[in-house]
Amino acid sequence: MSAAMRDAYGAALLELGGIRPDVVVLDADLGNSIRCDAFGQRYPERYIEVGIAEQNMVGVAAGLAACGLVPVVNSFAVFAVCRALDQIRTSVCQPGLPVKIVGSYSGLAVSKGGSTHASVEDIAIMRALPGMTVIVPGDAAEAAQATRLLPEIPGPVYLRLYRNAVPAVVPEGYRFQPGRAVPLRPGRDVAIISTGTMTARAMEAARRLAQRGVEAAVLHVPTVKPLDAEAVVEAAEACGVVVTAEEHSVIGGLGAAVAECLGERRPTPVHRVGVPDRYGESGPDEALLAHMGVDAAAIERQALAALGIRLP
């Protein structure tokens, strides 16, 4: 079953508002698209519409956090991160305030928004900020669980959400734990380590590889920072070769984090699937993902190449 993360996020945020009276939601005029507007209808005294002004939104959030509240700021990922970077760095991260930044419409599939709206560098930027936790859910259920836990995670948090409906990937009864990776499929030939929307595509690639006689393990990483280094090393030791997959630039994101980890702890060949060193484009979502090489077929090709298997 497929479901949209933004719908799950909006429902979980509403639920959170009834449990935590210290949660305040800020919106940069995208509440309907992001689904945070329902919170404002239920709790208007704890909802601030700042308009198209992400920099001011983060500055206001920092002030609210300094007063003991838990602000949750909302915008499209590219605007939440890139427009407000100075405010996030200086006003939120340096004092270590518990501002929760929600970037929706991440990656390439942004409804033909084009390069201005595609966010393929946000994970790298947020990873580089000291003290920032970076969460990239794989499906709607995980996005809802991460939302409910936002106030419990110390310091600033970046929650990266996706616009379109995505297949369920976490098992029934799963409980999201910040900093913990999730083994989804066993294997011994190649370990596919994925995050966000790419986990569903990694599972599809693993099924395709199985038809070729290749046993691919899949490790889902919902928290890119802090990285679950133990799980990454374990996957590398089990298979001897790793393919990473993310709907994000190959520079600075999950692939870089995994390569850094293994370079220090367990040197292993790492092959990265992600957006090349370029900006997004406009086009139908699935065609654009294939064009950029971030679909299940790309993961399958990279895994076969990593194993030295040539396609006929």
Side-chain angles (χ1 to χ4, degrees):
M1 178 180 295
S2 295
M5 291 185 193
R6 56 179 177 161
D7 292 335
Y9 165 72
L13 189 65
L14 196 60
E15 181 182 330
L16 185 62
I19 300 170
R20 294 287 299 250
D22 54 346
V23 168
V24 180
V25 173
L26 296 91
D27 169 26
D29 202 26
L30 292 167
N32 179 261
S33 297
I34 296 174
R35 307 291 196 254
C36 65
D37 55 348
F39 187 100
Q41 294 165 13
R42 178 78 62 84
Y43 308 106
E45 73 283 4
R46 288 190 277 143
Y47 188 81
I48 302 174
E49 168 60 75
V50 303
I52 305 172
E54 281 79 4
Q55 300 98 320
N56 290 341
M57 178 170 65
V58 173
V60 170
L64 294 170
C67 294
L69 298 173
V70 181
V72 181
V73 304
N74 295 268
S75 189
F76 288 178
V78 67
F79 305 139
V81 170
C82 296
R83 276 188 185 158
L85 179 57
D86 180 60
Q87 286 73 21
I88 294 171
R89 173 183 178 272
T90 306
S91 302
V92 173
C93 290
Q94 290 192 353
L97 292 172
V99 174
K100 317 306 177 184
I101 302 159
V102 178
S104 191
Y105 284 54
S106 63
L108 292 167
V110 291
S111 187
K112 300 181 182 178
S115 61
T116 57
H117 285 53
S119 182
V120 296
E121 62 281 274
D122 54 316
I123 296 176
I125 293 170
M126 291 291 100
R127 269 190 72 221
L129 294 173
M132 178 69 78
T133 296
V134 180
I135 299 172
V136 189
D139 65 13
E142 192 171 53
Q145 292 190 31
T147 300
R148 297 188 193 100
L149 283 181
L150 283 176
E152 312 298 329
I153 303 172
V157 177
Y158 176 57
L159 176 61
R160 187 189 208 237
L161 301 179
Y162 197 65
R163 177 185 184 277
N164 299 337
V166 292
V169 293
V170 297
E172 190 173 347
Y174 165 76
R175 289 293 175 265
F176 168 74
Q177 298 180 60
R180 295 292 296 274
V182 189
L184 292 180
R185 182 183 176 111
R188 62 183 182 182
D189 296 326
V190 57
I192 304 172
I193 301 179
S194 59
T195 193
T197 56
M198 290 300 276
T199 293
R201 298 165 198 156
M203 293 294 284
E204 173 60 25
R207 287 189 284 270
R208 295 186 185 193
L209 289 164
Q211 295 173 359
R212 299 179 183 275
V214 175
E215 296 183 22
V218 176
L219 178 68
H220 171 51
V221 179
T223 309
V224 176
K225 183 188 178 187
L227 184 69
D228 188 344
E230 297 300 327
V232 168
V233 169
E234 185 176 330
E237 288 178 340
C239 297
V241 61
V242 167
V243 173
T244 63
E246 56 195 314
E247 194 177 325
H248 178 271
S249 172
V250 293
I251 299 172
L254 174 70
V258 168
E260 291 162 8
C261 170
L262 294 177
E264 294 173 351
R265 301 184 56 162
R266 206 282 187 190
T268 304
V270 176
H271 301 257
R272 294 172 296 164
V273 172
V275 180
D277 187 19
R278 60 184 295 183
Y279 291 108
E281 297 179 15
S282 186
D285 290 341
E286 292 304 318
L288 186 58
L289 294 170
H291 174 65
M292 290 289 188
V294 286
D295 58 2
I299 300 171
E300 180 187 19
R301 287 195 302 270
Q302 192 63 258
L304 292 173
L307 295 171
I309 300 173
R310 285 191 170 188
L311 291 174

